[in-house]
Amino acid sequence: MSLIVVGVVVSVGLTILDLSIKQLMLSSNSKDSEIALHAANAGLECAQHWRNEKAIDLESGNAVTFNCFNQSKLITPSSITSSVNGSGNIYKYELYSGATDGFTWGLSNDRCSKITLLIMNSDSTVGNILEITNISAIMPGYIASTKECEAGGRCAVISVQGYNKPCGSIGTHGTLQREVLLES
């Protein structure tokens, strides 16, 4: 009889231990997910600020210095000319140069933000619509296949990838990525 009671108690104890371990893992994943989301949102706020502050330079395709998270990065845009219909200019600014580059920041330098900014300036000719037909290949996270900008329009797409680890540790075990996308 005592063996049955001990067996039931041990079984209940192991079940509670298993549930506790799973709850701890879920809690840790939730925390890491929140860190990545906040890194993406903070990067978006920085990109919006500099989009407004340096609008003339960005729309002219000039190199621009972005100051985010106490770091300065001089960014030279690339001009997008393929898969474009209509007339105007399209510039892509990538605030990272490789898989491990970006803005590493936070109290313990434990998060990373990678910012991509696409600026479209459509000519003001009546009826002119500037269109990118393969934007999903140009902008990370863009779901639609095309992006249009009306005649005389100044359009922008900002994509920010946030990570729960420093930029140099992206791709290691436990890395979570969250992304935000803003169109104007």
Side-chain angles (χ1 to χ4, degrees):
M1 182 63 95
S2 63
L3 284 176
I4 293 175
V5 170
V6 168
V8 169
V9 169
V10 167
S11 177
V12 169
L14 289 175
T15 302
I16 291 172
L17 179 65
D18 184 53
L19 285 173
S20 297
I21 290 171
K22 286 180 182 176
Q23 287 295 322
L24 231 107
M25 289 182 350
L26 285 173
S27 175
S28 177
N29 285 342
S30 178
K31 176 187 166 215
D32 289 343
S33 180
E34 283 293 315
I35 289 171
L37 181 61
H38 290 299
N41 283 331
L44 179 63
E45 291 294 326
C46 181
Q48 284 181 297
H49 169 75
W50 291 110
R51 167 68 177 112
N52 294 331
E53 191 75 23
K54 305 275 186 172
I56 293 171
D57 287 330
L58 290 168
E59 292 169 3
S60 299
N62 297 328
V64 175
T65 298
F66 279 71
N67 296 304
C68 299
F69 315 110
N70 295 320
Q71 300 169 49
S72 294
K73 294 190 184 271
L74 177 65
I75 309 301
T76 303
S78 57
S79 183
I80 307 296
T81 56
S82 62
S83 303
V84 175
N85 296 324
S87 59
N89 298 311
I90 303 171
Y91 303 106
K92 182 178 180 182
Y93 292 84
E94 292 181 290
L95 279 79
Y96 61 94
S97 60
T100 62
D101 196 17
F103 291 102
T104 295
W105 60 280
L107 290 175
S108 304
N109 284 328
D110 61 346
R111 53 198 76 192
C112 175
S113 299
K114 291 186 174 187
I115 303 169
T116 305
L117 179 63
L118 188 73
I119 304 292
M120 300 173 70
N121 301 319
S122 179
D123 286 347
S124 59
T125 308
V126 175
N128 179 60
I129 295 177
L130 183 59
E131 176 186 46
I132 302 175
T133 58
N134 70 336
I135 190 166
S136 57
I138 296 169
M139 284 297 289
Y142 202 87
I143 296 173
S145 58
T146 62
K147 168 70 177 159
E148 294 181 348
C149 190
E150 295 295 325
R154 303 291 184 255
C155 305
V157 179
I158 302 171
S159 173
V160 183
Q161 298 169 330
Y163 299 88
N164 66 319
K165 295 198 175 189
C167 296
S169 297
I170 293 173
T172 61
H173 179 71
T175 303
L176 287 176
Q177 174 191 333
R178 296 292 176 256
E179 187 167 348
V180 292
L181 185 74
L182 177 70
E183 289 186 80
S184 63

